[in-house]
Amino acid sequence: MVSQFSVAPADHSILFQRLYFNDMDSPSNSSPDSPADRPRLVRRFMPPLEETGPRIEIFERRLALSANMGADLFLNALDAMQSDEIGSTCNPVPTGMAAFELSALPATADPLSPSTLPTLLDQAALIRDQYGLTGAGQTVAVIDSGITWDHVALGEGYGPGYRVVGGWDFAENDANPYDDGPAGFHGTHVSGLIAGSSDSFMGIAPGADLVGLRVFDDLGRGSLDWIESALQWVYANRNEFDSPITTVNLSIGALLPDALSTDVHNQLEDELLQLHNANIVVVAAAGNQFDADNPDQLNYPASSDYAWAVASTDSNQSLSSFSQRDDAILATDGRNIRSTVPDHVLGMDGDINDYHYATGTSMSSPQVAAASVLLRQAVMQQGGDTSPDHLLSILKDTATERQDSITGLSYLDVNLTAAIASVMSGSGSGEGPLNPPLQSQDLGIVEWDEIELIKDTSVHFTAARDGLFSFAIDSEHRNTNLIIVDSAGQSLWNGTAPANGQIDLPVSANQTLTLYTHDATSPTIQLANIISLKNGQLSLNTGPDNPDVAIDLNQSFSATVGEFHYNFSSDQVSSGIIDGGSGADHVSIAGSSTASRLTLNPYADGTLSDPNLQLALRGFEDVSFDGRGGGDRVFLYDTVGNDELVASPTTARLEGVGFRYEISGAERTYVHATAGGQDIAFLNDSIGNDVLAVRPQFVSLRGGDFFNIAYGFERVYAYATSGGFDRADLYDSAGDDRFTANSATAIISGSGYYVQARSFDSVTGHAVAGGNDLATLYSDNSADGRWVQTSDSVTLRANDGSERIARGFERAETYQGGIPIQVQSANLFTQLQFHERNILDSIFAADDEDEMLDNFST
């Protein structure tokens, strides 16, 4: 775009042309059609083609974008939108490698000859393949018209965890720097060249993050104040993101008249110097207004001593006719460069996946900015100087020097492959090389993986989350020397593994690491990015391979996941989530000495809490818990299927199709079978004196320090075979029930309700809820105890002290030796049992289990 400054008499405002996507250097096949023959959408973006003079408007101080869409390509695209070819126009177009073929780089300082130098985008692809350099670990600030951050190649989101991690809109004064103005496209196109990444397009540094700083409004108007504020914002926020801001791209600029030069320099130079001194590279477009009468005149801020100026070249590697230039200026291709554009540019089809071509030094500048990101990453890996001056000297020393045929000025065609090779060979870094392998493997995002590490083959992988990245080396190869570097080339580990074979490194989400060895031992290494701890909150995600998980809460928080072991002090962890993910997962938990409360439900997250810890269990089908005493309470829930409970003092196992819960060392267990199915429970006594209580709603068995209660089971079997004097109280339902008892077994049953008690010394059947109930008592022989009947009860008391009692039944049958008998009444027995009956009724009238326990104690 042509931009022009002049001085307004009253306010010294900057005058410049309104933003248009016109091509001042259109190819010869541009259409001569008149504006009236173009679609309206074309005229929305384009000035009349016959208009030759600049259209000047007065605004506040501002700068102009230094690029334009290629007019012939842009018009053809818009024309195609009115035809059946719209799909092919809007869909991504493969970049292609032209005649350049990717191949392994030889270890030389200049791997590509000047005559065969490929585009910078192609060089970056070769460098990614050769060295694994992607720019990850750095953030680039794009001061421009904003960024279409929901574009498929720009991360499809905004904020932490996305590619565009933040920014500010200085034109609208908000935190959403979206490139949505009618004149917008420019910042999105620039951003794609820096860090775009999709199936059909790759920028120079696709691993880098972006911040968008919008300094142009919807009509393409900018302000020096906004640009100054954006530069200040970069400095203030340079370390506020997971990856620091290392680079700024300014594809903006203007020619400064003498009358304004001092004012503009005074406004911006101090910010540019501040960034330079903070080791932040600032790259600026040289400008698109080449003037043969002023052959070495650059736009500002490209002319600043604290910015790298970049000129544009054509495909033949000569300077573009429009490009401003200076002696020994950096240059790279800038004509008809394909990159990302907002949806509105090609017709707003709702798919944010459009790419198109643009021409200008604005397209050259972001490529060099991204090249500096890769160069910095390589230099950091070698431990060298990352100052802007040193990085610039490497680019200049390795560039291909050419001469402009028009002016005779020299320019430096950026040869990034040569720059990177010089650093990796040690000649450009100031330090000896780490000698990274020439062959590489990329695992992508890793939560859990296993590799066989081959000598001199680097393995790249990206962390899925903040936390620890862990490496477990097999026991036979723990003497292997391992080298691990981060995405910026910083050495994180260089040596053998600890005695336990596990290396733990702190990482951030989306951080890329590289692992390699020069040893010939080929160890098997498991990789895991599954655990994080922040502000007392622990997150453990076991990954897709369903490893066994063991949690130990005794005096500390210890977690073992497969081959990995983690340990934190008790005061480090106050809450956490243990996520088993999908599949059949097993977790075993050893509790602390304090009283814990555990809840397990197949249809919800499990929870474990004690005075010092709140823990959620997610996605585990198989859970084992050892309470280790301390008065733990456990609450278990069933499924809609047929489930089974087996419970003994301090133990319980509830299982069904697809799940299993096993409890030990817990004093109280509450089991709910209320979800459905035909559920069955088996309750076992202790060696002491125990009490079984049965109602249609629940069955409980307690003794000493243990208490097991089961709700909603259709069938219950209780056993008193371990010892002690055990008592059972069996209550009826509101319907018609049947109570049957002999010396070994007692049964009470009704509609959907069946309980059997075996080997209890004292059994009492209670018919108090309603219905027409029947009790049947059996004595094995005539010598076995004595019978007593009162007005509302029948009792069989054996010689060994055991007894069977039926109380409150409408009908009672008694058998002795298999023969029906008539029992005589005894008023004294009635009086003796009356008090006991009142006590039991008060106990089992309670609805709440804690109230019932209090009544038991009474």
Side-chain angles (χ1 to χ4, degrees):
M1 162 178 188
V2 179
S3 58
Q4 181 178 1
F5 283 80
S6 63
V7 181
D11 60 2
H12 298 282
S13 296
I14 299 172
L15 309 180
F16 78 100
Q17 180 182 353
R18 181 192 291 272
L19 173 63
Y20 293 111
F21 297 134
N22 58 320
D23 188 350
M24 78 291 291
D25 190 42
S26 299
S28 58
N29 63 349
S30 296
S31 172
D33 295 346
S34 68
D37 296 329
R38 293 290 183 192
R40 289 186 178 180
L41 186 56
V42 175
R43 300 214 313 273
R44 174 186 173 191
F45 291 95
M46 306 289 293
L49 295 181
E50 71 272 12
E51 186 176 284
T52 57
R55 296 177 60 182
I56 305 298
E57 296 183 18
I58 299 175
F59 302 103
E60 294 295 322
R61 292 182 175 183
R62 60 186 184 233
L63 298 179
L65 301 177
S66 299
N68 64 298
M69 297 286 276
D72 60 323
L73 295 171
F74 188 63
L75 290 173
N76 290 340
L78 293 174
D79 284 340
M81 292 172 62
Q82 309 302 318
S83 69
D84 293 336
E85 300 177 7
I86 184 171
S88 61
T89 301
C90 295
N91 287 339
V93 180
T95 57
M97 305 302 288
F100 177 66
E101 183 177 351
L102 292 180
S103 59
L105 286 175
T108 64
D110 188 5
L112 298 171
S113 66
S115 61
T116 61
L117 195 63
T119 68
L120 208 54
L121 287 164
D122 290 342
Q123 291 183 55
L126 181 57
I127 289 165
R128 286 195 300 274
D129 182 69
Q130 190 69 42
Y131 296 107
L133 301 176
T134 66
Q138 300 181 61
T139 298
V140 180
V142 179
I143 299 178
D144 214 297
S145 66
I147 302 175
T148 303
W149 41 255
D150 53 354
H151 195 286
V152 67
L154 297 175
E156 300 182 283
Y158 177 73
Y162 290 100
R163 301 295 310 287
V164 182
V165 295
W168 191 261
D169 185 340
F170 293 93
E172 298 179 356
N173 196 31
D174 60 43
N176 182 13
Y178 194 81
D179 192 7
D180 57 357
F185 90 89
H186 192 270
T188 299
H189 200 277
V190 164
S191 299
L193 290 172
I194 294 171
S197 177
S198 70
D199 292 341
S200 63
F201 180 83
M202 282 287 180
I204 301 292
D209 289 335
L210 296 167
V211 293
L213 300 173
R214 188 171 185 254
V215 295
F216 291 89
D217 64 15
D218 290 351
L219 298 179
R221 298 175 298 191
S223 161
L224 279 176
D225 292 339
W226 294 344
I227 295 171
E228 181 182 34
S229 296
L231 294 171
Q232 293 169 349
W233 188 98
V234 171
Y235 182 80
N237 292 277
R238 64 194 185 279
N239 294 314
E240 292 301 311
F241 302 99
D242 290 341
S243 300
I245 299 175
T246 63
T247 312
V248 176
N249 185 78
L250 288 164
S251 288
I252 60 179
L255 289 172
L256 297 180
D258 292 341
L260 288 179
S261 178
T262 299
D263 287 345
V264 174
H265 278 75
N266 287 341
Q267 187 166 357
L268 299 184
E269 281 294 284
D270 53 343
E271 282 82 16
L272 293 173
L273 173 60
Q274 187 180 50
L275 295 176
H276 178 275
N277 292 341
N279 275 0
I280 296 176
V281 170
V282 178
V283 183
N288 303 330
Q289 305 170 64
F290 172 67
D291 181 358
D293 294 332
N294 298 284
D296 58 355
Q297 187 178 41
L298 297 176
N299 274 5
Y300 184 81
S303 59
S304 171
D305 291 337
Y306 309 116
W308 298 4
V310 182
S312 169
T313 62
D314 293 341
S315 59
N316 61 4
Q317 297 177 331
S318 62
L319 285 175
S320 302
S321 59
F322 55 81
S323 178
Q324 290 165 244
R325 56 204 74 184
D326 194 7
D327 193 45
I329 193 173
L330 296 176
T332 195
D333 43 324
R335 185 185 290 278
N336 290 340
I337 305 301
R338 179 176 177 268
S339 185
T340 49
V341 294
D343 191 36
H344 72 253
V345 171
L346 295 178
M348 299 186 70
D349 63 357
D351 294 327
I352 319 299
N353 63 353
D354 297 327
Y355 304 82
H356 218 285
Y357 297 83
T359 289
T361 55
S362 281
M363 281 60 258
S364 304
S365 174
Q367 294 184 71
V368 173
S372 78
V373 171
L374 299 186
L375 181 59
R376 183 190 294 261
Q377 185 178 0
V379 171
M380 289 179 67
Q381 183 170 315
Q382 302 302 315
D385 178 9
T386 59
S387 67
D389 291 340
H390 183 64
L391 296 178
L392 180 59
S393 70
I394 297 174
L395 281 183
K396 287 189 170 183
D397 290 344
T398 56
T400 300
E401 185 175 357
R402 306 185 192 277
Q403 189 175 51
D404 178 28
S405 61
I406 299 175
T407 64
L409 297 173
S410 67
Y411 60 96
L412 302 175
D413 201 355
V414 175
N415 190 338
L416 184 57
T417 56
I420 297 295
S422 74
V423 171
M424 292 306 193
S425 67
S427 62
S429 67
E431 300 288 343
L434 290 176
N435 298 319
L438 296 180
Q439 298 183 3
S440 64
Q441 176 186 5
D442 192 347
L443 301 179
I445 297 177
V446 169
E447 286 185 291
W448 188 282
D449 209 338
E450 181 177 286
I451 61 169
E452 181 180 3
L453 188 62
I454 306 301
K455 176 184 177 183
D456 293 333
T457 297
S458 60
V459 180
H460 313 294
F461 39 88
T462 301
R465 58 180 56 86
D466 295 343
L468 295 179
F469 211 115
S470 302
F471 307 80
I473 296 88
D474 67 273
S475 58
E476 296 181 7
H477 298 95
R478 290 181 181 171
N479 291 326
T480 301
N481 190 77
L482 302 175
I483 301 169
I484 306 172
V485 298
D486 66 11
S487 55
Q490 300 272 24
S491 177
L492 303 178
W493 187 272
N494 192 341
T496 59
N500 66 356
Q502 180 173 325
I503 300 170
D504 295 316
L505 300 176
V507 295
S508 300
N510 300 315
Q511 181 178 350
T512 298
L513 306 183
T514 300
L515 166 68
Y516 58 93
T517 183
H518 296 304
D519 295 352
T521 55
S522 299
T524 297
I525 301 179
Q526 291 190 31
L527 312 176
N529 177 214
I530 59 175
I531 194 167
S532 64
L533 177 62
K534 186 176 182 180
N535 299 326
Q537 297 181 350
L538 182 135
S539 175
L540 175 60
N541 300 71
T542 64
D545 290 344
N546 304 322
D548 283 348
V549 179
I551 306 295
D552 193 332
L553 305 178
N554 185 29
Q555 298 181 345
S556 66
F557 186 97
S558 176
T560 300
V561 186
E563 299 294 325
F564 298 97
H565 181 75
Y566 305 95
N567 192 74
F568 304 97
S569 63
S570 297
D571 58 356
Q572 286 182 286
V573 182
S574 58
S575 63
I577 297 176
I578 313 298
D579 193 340
S582 60
D585 303 290
H586 172 255
V587 60
S588 61
I589 304 171
S592 65
S593 58
T594 60
S596 301
R597 179 186 178 102
L598 174 67
T599 301
L600 298 175
N601 188 332
Y603 302 116
D605 290 350
T607 60
L608 175 64
S609 60
D610 63 28
N612 302 312
L613 177 67
Q614 304 292 321
L615 196 63
L617 304 173
R618 181 173 298 163
F620 287 96
E621 292 75 25
D622 189 347
V623 181
S624 301
F625 174 74
D626 182 358
R628 289 179 170 169
D632 301 305
R633 291 189 178 191
V634 177
F635 299 82
L636 305 180
Y637 292 83
D638 71 329
T639 69
V640 297
N642 302 332
D643 304 309
E644 179 181 282
L645 168 68
V646 177
S648 298
T650 72
T651 70
R653 184 183 74 248
L654 179 65
E655 60 183 327
V657 176
F659 84 102
R660 175 187 173 96
Y661 301 143
E662 188 149 9
I663 309 300
S664 62
E667 289 187 3
R668 299 184 180 184
T669 302
Y670 304 80
V671 186
H672 298 259
T674 55
Q678 295 295 309
D679 305 307
I680 186 171
F682 299 90
L683 306 180
N684 297 279
D685 70 328
S686 72
I687 59 175
N689 301 333
D690 304 307
V691 176
L692 173 70
V694 175
R695 284 186 181 272
Q697 298 84 4
F698 67 85
V699 177
S700 69
L701 181 60
R702 67 180 297 268
D705 294 329
F706 88 94
F707 178 71
N708 292 329
I709 187 167
Y711 295 90
F713 283 83
E714 282 73 24
R715 299 181 72 85
V716 178
Y717 296 85
Y719 300 89
T721 56
S722 297
F725 187 88
D726 304 309
R727 189 177 80 241
D729 287 276
L730 282 58
Y731 283 75
D732 68 330
S733 71
D736 298 338
D737 301 300
R738 174 75 182 269
F739 172 64
T740 304
N742 59 29
S743 60
T745 304
I747 299 172
I748 190 167
S749 62
S751 178
Y753 168 50
Y754 178 92
V755 178
Q756 183 180 122
R758 294 186 180 181
S759 303
F760 282 81
D761 301 285
S762 174
V763 178
T764 302
H766 301 266
V768 295
N772 187 7
D773 305 312
L774 170 64
T776 305
L777 303 182
Y778 295 90
S779 173
D780 293 337
N781 55 68
S782 59
D784 186 15
R786 62 191 181 89
W787 295 89
V788 178
Q789 182 172 357
T790 69
S791 60
D792 68 343
S793 68
V794 177
T795 301
L796 171 61
R797 180 164 294 162
N799 294 330
D800 59 3
S802 64
E803 59 184 6
R804 300 292 182 265
I805 305 172
R807 177 172 290 136
F809 286 84
E810 284 74 17
R811 295 175 295 152
E813 300 174 345
T814 53
Y815 292 84
Q816 185 162 318
I819 300 173
I821 63 171
Q822 185 69 35
V823 179
Q824 299 296 321
S825 298
N827 292 330
L828 178 62
F829 181 79
T830 301
Q831 295 172 8
L832 292 174
Q833 296 296 315
F834 183 80
H835 182 61
E836 179 184 355
R837 174 183 176 182
N838 288 340
I839 292 176
L840 292 175
D841 285 346
S842 67
I843 290 174
F844 295 109
D847 293 327
D848 178 77
E849 50 261 42
D850 288 333
E851 180 185 349
M852 184 175 65
L853 288 175
D854 292 338
N855 290 339
F856 266 125
S857 299
T858 302

